[in-house]
């Protein structure tokens, strides 16, 4: 069997980028197969466990391919975290989003238009405007990545219409490989994503859901506050997330923990944007903080040292439960998911 010089060069290039830019000697399971498919120009739908390193699956090919990679991301905070991490690694990355002032967004676009930016992070609402698509069509787009791709199926029709409109991308950029990534997508959701985004023509890689470092525990609810406090105190000094069903309960539980000497913060959609951002930033930056939250908190949260996720109530679904507990143990250390 003959191996082309092109494929050998691509193999060498991706491993050089992996080592020199990101500091890893080897790919994690699944990353190599996804990277190889994209470098060969094929569309990919990748379902990988939380903490498995989905971002590298498009970041490495982006740097090997050159030109510009567009990353569609659902949350401003996630975009900013990813851009900051890439810049620390010496990668020219930018985001244009609603949290930045006009001057910052204009400056970012000028870098993109000048060919200085390798990865550009955009929300679907900004990407799928006529003006943005026309401007991007004039540039050297080499790769498109759609993160949190389950939103296409679960949110698109009812919540964020622009997720559904991402199906237009394959027609606007017919020669550009597209990767859709998610940590949670059952067979129905995968089929839906494949049909909407790729018209069925996609290489699907499902790499399992198991997170062996997370210990699952269930306990009958008796005195919820005391049970929570006892659990948190057993993990004193560690960061954790506590999920509650209601906004009122979120605030009550946070106040209860604070009263008992635990550094706890509340997070729910009823809080002001500034208050939510301040609490999220404190949680992300500081160690030993407990975030007591509704499901408004979580998507895209990539804090590696979360030691536990505690549910004071049943989650909305099995998929929601998997997503929520997946925020624990991203550093590979032993973690707990405990539910009343």
């Amino acid at each position: 069997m003959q191996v082309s010089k092109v494929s050998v060069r691509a193999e060498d290039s991706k491993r050089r980028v992996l080592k020199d830019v990101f500091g890893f000697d080897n790919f994690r399971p699944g990353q190599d197969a996804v990277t190889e498919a994209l470098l060969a120009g094929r569309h990919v739908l990748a379902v990988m466990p939380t903490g498995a390193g989905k971002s590298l699956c498009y970041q490495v090919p982006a740097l090997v391919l050159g030109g510009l990679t567009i990353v569609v991301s659902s949350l401003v905070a996630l975009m900013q975290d990813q851009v900051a991490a890439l810049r620390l690694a010496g990668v020219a990355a930018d985001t244009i989003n609603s949290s930045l002032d006009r001057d910052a967004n204009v400056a970012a676009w000028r870098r993109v238009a000048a060919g200085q930016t390798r990865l550009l992070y955009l929300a679907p609402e900004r990407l799928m405007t006529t003006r943005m698509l026309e401007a991007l069509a004039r540039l050297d787009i080499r790769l498109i990545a759609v993160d949190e791709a389950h939103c296409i199926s679960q949110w698109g029709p009812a919540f964020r219409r622009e997720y559904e409109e991402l199906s237009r991308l394959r027609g606007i950029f017919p020669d550009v490989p597209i990767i859709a990534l998610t940590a949670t997508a059952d067979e129905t959701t995968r089929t839906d994503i494949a049909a909407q985004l790729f018209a069925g023509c996609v290489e699907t890689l499902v790499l399992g859901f198991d997170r062996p470092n997370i210990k699952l525990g269930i306990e009958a609810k008796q005195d919820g506050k005391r049970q929570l406090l006892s659990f948190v105190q057993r993990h004193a000094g560690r960061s954790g997330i506590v999920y509650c069903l209601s906004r009122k309960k979120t605030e009550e539980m946070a106040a209860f923990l604070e009263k008992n000497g635990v550094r706890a913060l509340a997070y729910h959609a009823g809080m002001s944007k500034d208050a939510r951002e301040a609490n999220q930033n404190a949680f992300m930056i500081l160690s030993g903080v407990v975030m007591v939250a509704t499901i408004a908190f979580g998507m895209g949260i990539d804090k590696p040292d979360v030691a536990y996720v505690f549910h004071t109530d049943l989650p909305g679904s099995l998929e929601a439960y998997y997503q929520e507990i997946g925020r624990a143990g991203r550093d590979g250390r032993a973690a707990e998911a405990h539910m009343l």
Side-chain angles (χ1 to χ4, degrees):
M1 183 176 69
Q2 291 185 332
V3 180
S4 74
K5 291 181 181 178
V6 173
S7 64
V8 170
R9 283 200 300 271
E11 180 70 25
D12 290 345
S13 296
K14 71 182 181 183
R15 295 208 169 268
R16 188 164 57 250
V17 166
L18 184 70
K19 176 65 175 177
D20 294 350
V21 179
F22 298 103
F24 299 116
D25 291 318
N26 296 296
F27 286 104
R28 292 185 189 177
Q31 289 178 330
D32 197 11
V34 173
T35 301
E36 184 179 334
L38 292 175
L39 291 176
R42 303 194 296 273
H43 298 317
V44 178
L45 168 56
V47 182
M48 302 173 72
T50 49
K54 291 188 290 298
S55 298
L56 275 187
C57 289
Y58 61 81
Q59 290 170 348
V60 170
L63 299 181
V64 173
L65 291 167
L68 179 65
T69 288
I70 304 298
V71 184
V72 184
S73 185
S74 56
L75 288 181
V76 168
L78 179 58
M79 289 188 249
Q80 292 173 331
D81 287 349
Q82 293 266 6
V83 167
L86 285 167
R87 286 177 175 174
L88 280 174
V91 177
D94 274 299
T95 176
I96 297 173
N97 66 66
S98 58
S99 75
L100 302 174
D101 61 35
R102 185 177 184 279
D103 288 347
N105 280 331
V106 168
W109 177 253
R110 284 177 177 157
R111 290 190 292 271
V112 171
Q116 297 169 3
T117 300
R118 298 276 71 83
L119 292 101
L120 174 63
Y121 286 74
L122 297 170
E125 289 83 356
R126 189 170 290 266
L127 171 61
M128 299 312 294
T129 61
T130 301
R131 185 178 178 187
M132 179 60 79
L133 289 170
E134 288 178 350
L136 289 172
R138 294 192 288 269
L139 302 180
D140 183 20
I141 309 294
R142 300 287 182 89
L143 179 64
I144 297 172
V146 180
D147 205 2
E148 306 290 356
H150 57 276
C151 297
I152 294 168
S153 177
Q154 296 172 7
W155 283 4
F159 182 49
R160 292 175 74 169
R161 184 172 49 85
E162 287 77 9
Y163 263 102
E164 217 170 20
E165 292 186 6
L166 294 175
S167 61
R168 294 167 50 207
L169 290 174
R170 66 177 183 274
I172 299 169
F173 304 100
D175 300 320
V176 177
I178 300 173
I179 177 170
L181 304 112
T182 179
T184 173
D186 58 20
E187 188 173 348
T188 301
T189 303
R190 294 198 300 271
T191 301
D192 198 18
I193 294 169
Q196 289 196 49
L197 194 56
F198 303 104
C201 185
V202 63
E203 191 168 311
T204 300
L205 296 167
V206 181
L207 299 165
F209 304 95
D210 190 22
R211 293 286 305 285
N213 64 315
I214 301 178
K215 175 186 174 183
L216 306 185
I218 300 175
E219 184 181 358
K221 189 185 296 186
Q222 294 164 340
D223 181 347
K225 284 185 177 179
R226 289 293 161 189
Q227 287 169 292
L228 171 62
L229 181 61
S230 175
F231 180 89
V232 171
Q233 287 176 334
R234 290 203 305 273
H235 298 79
R238 306 292 302 280
S239 297
I241 302 173
V242 176
Y243 280 110
C244 304
L245 271 183
S246 71
R247 298 174 182 181
K248 181 181 179 184
K249 187 173 181 180
T250 295
E251 294 183 356
E252 287 177 353
M253 288 295 197
F256 172 75
L257 290 175
E258 279 280 341
K259 183 180 175 182
N260 285 274
V262 178
R263 177 75 195 278
L265 301 169
Y267 188 104
H268 60 73
M271 298 166 61
S272 70
K273 181 173 178 283
D274 288 346
R276 287 199 311 272
E277 286 187 356
N279 284 359
Q280 177 171 317
N281 288 338
F283 176 75
M284 295 298 289
I285 294 168
L286 303 174
S287 60
V289 176
V290 178
M291 182 66 88
V292 186
T294 61
I295 58 170
F297 180 80
M299 186 183 291
I301 297 301
D302 193 14
K303 181 176 169 66
D305 63 341
V306 175
Y308 59 87
V309 172
F310 189 103
H311 282 84
T312 65
D313 304 288
L314 285 171
S317 67
L318 196 57
E319 272 205 337
Y321 177 68
Y322 174 77
Q323 279 272 11
E324 288 154 17
I325 67 171
R327 282 141 205 162
R330 293 196 174 194
D331 55 5
R333 295 174 62 188
E336 283 195 63
H338 199 78
M339 179 166 61
L340 299 183

